[in-house]
Amino acid sequence: MRAELKVLLESYEQTILGQSQNIKLLLASVLSGGHVLLEGVPGTGKTQMVRTLARLIGGDFHRIQFTPDLLPSDITGSTIYNMKDGQFQTLKGPIFTNILLADEINRTPAKTQAALLEAMEEKQVTIQGVTYSLSEVFFVVATQNPIEYEGTYPLPEAQQDRFLFKLIIDFPSVEEEQKVLKQVIEKRMNAAAVASELDLEAFVSIRKEIEQVTISDDVYAYMVEIVRKTRESEALRFGASTRAAISIGKAAQAWAYLAERDYVSPDDIKFVAKPALRHRIQLSPHIELEGTTVDQIINELVGSIPVPR
């Protein structure tokens, strides 16, 4: 299966230019069964990136534009009375898909944001007291705009913790941006035209192979030490939970698999720690006033811990 995954990754990178690292992390997240929070200014290709991934793995794709008047039932579905049949009928919402793009999730109130919680954690949805299972491959990508917060509803800490990664989408380099411009204007960039490299059955098989990637006791101890350091640091108001350590471990397995290894190395842990922790910890007020970023604190904490041999 590694050969098929390698072809998929190459096709992905050829379609979405200038985001190679984020593409690999996005793929690692869906392979490890996690979800992703994407943060970036409008027009940086977030929707294109997610739609292309759905196409490559042969999965269904739905997009929800989150707005202040969006209701939980608009996401999960509802029950209506069918006058013709004289019976109640369940209409399933857009959450019943393989890959769901929750666009601008912070534009909708907490009640509607919470409609995703059960689905993300337990892969099931309850409509009018009846529980429905979601697909085995269910992946939520939620986007946020980092430059406009007026009229927004920040995600609660409990919900942010449900996301495996928080990825920052930045502008591409000059050369990459020129290539993107040329592809779009000449109509050579189209997610719908991307050939499917896998089917969902093969994708599930790859997930099972990733679960067999081994983690040594020393690397387990290294993960725990990183998470515990976040709780002890005076630079942070809140540290990471045990779920954060689990997320780092699962993500590192997928990252090692993408690197064609059957074991997790400390370097894998160091690499995935930043996107796995940046949305789970909160800076102390005095550190925030100094202009220090969350990523800088994570780099310092991880760098202060001895790496196992």
Side-chain angles (χ1 to χ4, degrees), residues 252-272:
Q253 283 181 306
W255 192 256
Y257 188 90
L258 287 172
E260 301 184 10
R261 281 185 279 103
D262 58 2
Y263 64 92
V264 172
S265 73
D267 285 340
D268 297 325
I269 303 298
K270 290 171 71 174
F271 190 84
V272 302

Side-chain angles (χ1 to χ4, degrees), residues 79-132:
T79 301
I80 63 169
Y81 185 73
N82 190 322
M83 298 286 289
K84 183 179 179 180
D85 298 334
Q87 295 180 339
F88 284 97
Q89 179 182 354
T90 299
L91 299 178
K92 293 183 177 179
I95 201 168
F96 289 88
T97 187
N98 297 122
I99 294 186
L100 177 70
L101 177 62
D103 213 357
E104 294 191 296
I105 191 172
N106 57 336
R107 294 276 172 206
T108 200
K111 182 179 180 180
T112 305
Q113 293 171 355
L116 291 172
L117 283 176
E118 181 184 14
M120 291 170 65
E121 187 68 17
E122 302 173 32
K123 289 189 178 178
Q124 64 182 30
V125 172
T126 302
I127 304 173
Q128 294 291 320
V130 180
T131 300
Y132 301 89

Side-chain angles (χ1 to χ4, degrees), residues 102-213:
D103 213 357
E104 294 191 296
I105 191 172
N106 57 336
R107 294 276 172 206
T108 200
K111 182 179 180 180
T112 305
Q113 293 171 355
L116 291 172
L117 283 176
E118 181 184 14
M120 291 170 65
E121 187 68 17
E122 302 173 32
K123 289 189 178 178
Q124 64 182 30
V125 172
T126 302
I127 304 173
Q128 294 291 320
V130 180
T131 300
Y132 301 89
S133 296
L134 295 172
S135 170
E136 187 173 358
V137 178
F138 176 68
F139 181 50
V140 174
V141 180
T143 70
Q144 290 188 143
N145 182 352
I147 61 173
E148 188 182 346
Y149 289 106
E150 186 177 351
T152 61
Y153 305 83
L155 283 173
E157 287 78 8
Q159 185 152 347
Q160 289 197 52
D161 201 35
R162 297 303 198 281
F163 290 96
L164 179 74
F165 286 152
K166 180 180 179 180
L167 304 182
I168 308 298
I169 305 298
D170 207 349
F171 293 110
S173 66
V174 174
E175 295 80 9
E176 289 165 337
E177 194 159 15
Q178 187 172 326
K179 289 180 181 178
V180 171
L181 187 65
K182 187 175 181 180
Q183 282 191 358
V184 172
I185 291 177
E186 295 180 1
K187 297 183 179 179
R188 290 189 287 114
M189 179 183 282
N190 184 3
V194 176
S196 175
E197 301 293 348
L198 291 174
D199 56 33
L200 290 179
E201 186 178 345
F203 195 77
V204 171
S205 297
I206 291 174
R207 275 186 170 180
K208 291 177 180 177
E209 289 182 14
I210 288 173
E211 292 173 358
Q212 305 307 312
V213 173

Side-chain angles (χ1 to χ4, degrees), residues 17-41:
L17 302 175
Q19 298 293 341
S20 180
Q21 181 171 299
N22 281 325
I23 280 171
K24 289 179 182 176
L25 287 169
L26 196 66
L27 186 56
S29 180
V30 67
L31 284 169
S32 55
H35 308 282
V36 168
L37 190 60
L38 276 184
E39 189 169 284
V41 297

